[in-house]
Amino acid sequence: MMIYALGFAAACFGLALLMNLWRLVKGPEASDRILALDTMVINVIALLILLGIGLGTAVFFEVAMLFALVGFVSTVAYCRFLLRGDIIE
Amino acid sequence: MNHDLPLWADLAVSLFLVLGAVFGLVGSWGLIRLPDPMTRLHAPTKATTLGIGGVLISSMLLTFARDGVVSTHELLITLFLVLTSPITALFIGKVHLHLRQDRSALPRPATGAGWAGYTAEGPARGVRESARPSVPPAGEAPRTSD
């Protein structure tokens, strides 16, 4: 039964990634695009954890942790560039 | 995928997987459904907390049922996401406020002190000069550069 739940969850997060891509392309303002990128990182983290569950390994937790770190730093750097014109002043 | 799980673990892992997936889908659907950038900021928090949380809880349950040990990697990821998502939301909201041109359309704060996002010194993009109030509100602390 878990294999069906895994497939359902992967399909849901893949569909969520497509929705975020739509908002990323269409988003009328820069903040929408940054928010779409941030949500894409979140969904990719969920997909990585699902892959780790499916393959039965614990390696993907480190990968998901790295994705969370890099996603946070990139979002803050993007916002900072738009707010101040520079990332590190 | 032949883990020989007991039935309760199989059911619980499946339940939390489906719950997390539904919340992730709802968060992204709200991202394209809601009409305003500030309301759009609200939607993906569901995907961050409940979606990722459900998937991570199912992963913890699976590890506990299969190997008999409690895994703490998931708690680290949850802690990091919960710590960083308010900062991200604050920055995205500030970007939206700064890049917005019709500042008079915003509601006035009750104290008349102006919105906190507009009171910082040093406009880098030159959009803050016209909207700065001529009289600085009382009680505003002198600001050091961040």
Side-chain angles (χ1 to χ4, degrees):
Chain A
M1 186 170 176
M2 201 181 79
I3 188 76
Y4 301 115
L6 267 180
F8 175 75
C12 278
F13 281 112
L15 192 60
L17 267 179
L18 283 181
M19 289 178 182
N20 296 335
L21 188 65
W22 192 81
R23 175 54 71 195
L24 180 68
V25 171
K26 189 176 180 298
E29 292 187 31
S31 57
D32 294 323
R33 295 196 165 94
I34 302 173
L35 185 60
L37 273 177
D38 192 55
T39 317
M40 282 178 106
V41 171
I42 296 295
N43 287 324
V44 166
I45 290 169
L47 278 178
L48 278 172
I49 297 165
L50 289 180
L51 185 62
I53 293 176
L55 293 181
T57 69
V59 181
F60 288 96
F61 293 127
E62 276 77 16
V63 183
M65 193 72 205
L66 280 177
F67 256 78
L69 285 166
V70 173
F72 170 67
V73 169
S74 65
T75 304
V76 170
Y78 216 142
C79 292
R80 191 100 186 123
F81 179 71
L82 288 181
L83 280 174
R84 308 286 290 177
D86 204 349
I87 297 175
I88 301 171
E89 296 173 60
Chain B
M1 285 306 296
N2 45 3
H3 293 314
D4 288 334
L5 285 175
L7 182 63
W8 66 269
D10 199 12
L11 283 178
V13 166
S14 304
L15 176 69
F16 278 109
L17 275 179
V18 169
L19 268 181
V22 165
F23 274 113
L25 193 61
V26 161
S28 294
W29 169 245
L31 187 62
I32 68 170
R33 174 75 176 77
L34 291 175
D36 190 58
M38 277 309 199
T39 55
R40 260 177 239 138
L41 200 56
H42 153 79
T45 55
K46 249 62 67 188
T48 304
T49 55
L50 292 172
I52 299 278
V55 174
L56 288 174
I57 285 173
S58 74
S59 174
M60 287 182 79
L61 279 174
L62 177 66
T63 311
F64 178 70
R66 193 184 50 198
D67 302 332
V69 296
V70 177
S71 171
T72 51
H73 298 268
E74 293 92 344
L75 287 182
L76 264 183
I77 298 175
T78 309
L79 183 69
F80 186 79
L81 285 178
V82 167
L83 277 181
T84 56
S85 63
I87 306 173
T88 305
L90 171 70
F91 268 99
I92 292 173
K94 280 181 78 169
V95 164
H96 169 63
L97 284 180
H98 275 272
L99 297 183
R100 180 181 178 139
Q101 293 302 314
D102 52 344
R103 203 155 297 173
S104 57
L106 287 175
R108 297 300 301 167
T111 58
W115 285 88
Y118 294 141
T119 52
E121 290 295 324
R125 294 174 62 89
V127 295
R128 254 175 282 172
E129 289 292 342
S130 59
R132 179 173 297 164
S134 57
V135 177
E140 188 178 3
R143 201 173 309 269
T144 60
S145 73
D146 43 355

